[in-house]
Amino acid sequence: MDFVFMIPNTEEELKTQLSEPGSFLMTGGTDLLVKVRIGKIKPKRVVSTIRIPTLHFLKDKIDEIVIGATITYSELMDFKPLIKNFPLLYDAIYTVGSPQIRNRGTLVGNVVNASPAGDGLLALYLLNAKIEISDGSVVPVEEFVTGPGQTALPSGEYVRAIHIPKYDWSVHYFEKVGQRNSMTISIASVGWLIRCKNRIIDEFRIAYGSVAPTVLRLRDVEEFAKGKHIDEDFTHSISKMVEERVHPIDDVRGSAKYRKILCANLVYRMIEEGTKC
Amino acid sequence: MKVEFKVNDRKHSIEIEPGELLVETLRRLGYKSVKHACDTASCGACSVQLDGNPVLSCRTFTAAVDGHEIKTVEAFSKEGELSAVQKALVEEGAVQCGFCIPALVVTAEALLNENPNPTEEEIKTYLNGNLCRCTGYVSQNHAIMKAAELRRNSASVPAGNQGELS
Ligand SMILES: Cc1cc2nc3c(=O)[nH]c(=O)nc-3n(C[C@H](O)[C@H](O)[C@H](O)COP(=O)(O)OP(=O)(O)OC[C@H]3O[C@@H](n4cnc5c(N)ncnc54)[C@H](O)[C@@H]3O)c2cc1C
């Protein structure tokens, strides 16, 4: 591979090295190096973040957790507050690749890669996560991701951390449908969070992956669900709404038509979920 | 650039190209058990342990492992004797063409260190990044279950009568 590889030790060095044209940031390399390998990108320099101590941290605060840019999926899964407060995120990243991928890959890489199929990304959309950028700004993930593979990251800047606010949910659910069980990119994925009592919904969030240019939060469905009783009728209505709102494409993994039906059908898992509140 | 790292407890201090991948360096150093296969992070045949955790050497820069420890399959057989995992793989007929096996051993050893008593489902999940085109995985899963039991039994051999001392 025909490029220079740099491993800065501080954020200052990182910033200087990033300012050179043709520089690409790399953390785990599980997305970047595959793109280099297949010739999709041709970097002049690859700048790695992995030696920078100030980017390698996990914080458990009263109202949020903060995940540093170089924390791998495996490190995150070992972080006790994650499974306690964000089981949805845990379930989603447990499906990412294999242990080999999770030992190197990062949630921040998943965000910046901005794939509509990003499993960590889908959970972050549902959890209203915020992205901390090196220029000091903190942006909601939904604004940070602007399109497939596109973000609002200003050139020469990098992501420092992800902030996820804590909130009590009664029910969480994540499911990814792929062509096989393991090491699979989703044909469609879904996640939801429900706050409810005696099957009556107090608050509801739902998002789909791989059915639009970005992960899709269905805000009007979320509004509609408020105050409703979780039963079959409710699920029928939601399912219909979902079918009208997702706009998938045909690709190698599945047809648009199949994806639409799949998304509508996935909603029926909720009937069982309702019994948990 | 110059890097220093350990492979199977042996120190290497070598010159590398900045963009050199770990799989290339290891093979150059003679660790040919590390396979250069799909080269797209899909097959797992290049898996090695980096500080005890399985990673893909085809997607890891050698420069990034400076100061760290690598283990390849050779680390697990002591003085010519196969490890419990390796023995069980042979006994269960879990090796056919053998191409995926070094990386499978490396990954399975990491699994059993993390989780000495895995269920069959946990084994399947942990090994989902190690593709095998011969066996269909059943015999491999059996072998790892068997190796886990062997390891647990040999680890629980009493080391003297500590109970009476206290
Ligand atoms: C075999 C395989 C299976 C996979 N399975 C899944 C899966 O099931 N689900 C899934 O969602 N993904 C999957 N992936 C994709 C990938 O593992 C994830 O997207 C991963 O989270 C990327 O993290 P990374 O640290 O490796 O990113 P890198 O490859 O290092 O970087 C990804 C992108 O982010 C940029 N970047 C990295 N760090 C920063 C930073 N600090 N600031 C700004 N930009 C940065 C890079 O420039 C690049 O554009 C798979 C990949 C492979 C190879």
Side-chain angles (χ1 to χ4, degrees), chain B residues 84 147-159:
Chain B
E149 196 183 335
L150 264 169
R151 283 167 57 119
R152 286 197 304 276
N153 290 342
S154 63
S156 62
V157 171

Side-chain angles (χ1 to χ4, degrees), chain A residues 24-35 49 55 69 73 95-98 101 104-113 117-121 144 153 157-160 176 183-185, chain B residues 40-42 56 59:
Chain A
F24 281 81
L25 256 176
M26 177 179 123
T27 304
T30 62
D31 277 320
L32 188 82
L33 285 184
V34 172
K35 284 187 191 149
T49 56
L55 295 178
Y73 289 116
T95 72
V96 173
S98 59
I101 298 296
R104 302 291 288 171
T106 62
L107 197 53
V108 167
N110 203 235
V111 170
V112 180
N113 197 48
D119 294 312
L121 196 55
F144 182 79
L153 187 70
E157 303 293 342
Y158 54 91
V159 174
R160 289 204 73 250
K176 155 161 128 180
M183 289 271 282
T184 193
I185 304 175
Chain B
T40 53
S42 306
L56 299 174
R59 292 280 80 88

Side-chain angles (χ1 to χ4, degrees), chain B residues 82-93:
Chain B
L82 298 181
S83 72
V85 171
Q86 291 171 309
K87 268 188 209 150
L89 285 168
V90 174
E91 284 163 12
E92 292 296 311

Side-chain angles (χ1 to χ4, degrees), chain A residues 5 37 98-100 103 182-183, chain B residues 18 39 47 54 61 126 128 130:
Chain A
F5 183 57
R37 174 73 186 86
S98 59
Q100 287 92 325
N103 283 333
S182 45
M183 289 271 282
Chain B
D39 209 16
S47 301
F61 281 129
Y126 200 94
N128 72 1
N130 289 80

Side-chain angles (χ1 to χ4, degrees), chain A residues 13-69:
Chain A
E13 281 174 39
L14 173 67
K15 217 147 189 193
T16 319
Q17 293 173 3
L18 261 188
S19 62
E20 300 273 325
S23 297
F24 281 81
L25 256 176
M26 177 179 123
T27 304
T30 62
D31 277 320
L32 188 82
L33 285 184
V34 172
K35 284 187 191 149
V36 173
R37 174 73 186 86
I38 61 177
K40 205 164 160 190
I41 53 173
K42 295 190 169 58
K44 285 207 182 76
R45 293 144 66 90
V46 172
V47 185
S48 166
T49 56
I50 57 165
R51 288 270 164 77
I52 301 171
T54 51
L55 295 178
H56 194 255
F57 64 88
L58 280 162
K59 281 189 204 145
D60 183 23
K61 298 191 180 171
I62 294 172
D63 55 347
E64 63 170 9
I65 61 165
V66 190
I67 302 164

Side-chain angles (χ1 to χ4, degrees), chain A residues 88 122 126 173-177 188-192 206-209 263 266-267 269:
Chain A
L88 175 87
L122 184 130
L126 282 169
Y173 191 77
F174 173 81
E175 182 169 347
K176 155 161 128 180
V177 178
S189 53
V190 68
W192 58 71
I206 184 165
Y208 280 88
C263 289
L266 280 168
V267 168
R269 304 265 199 240

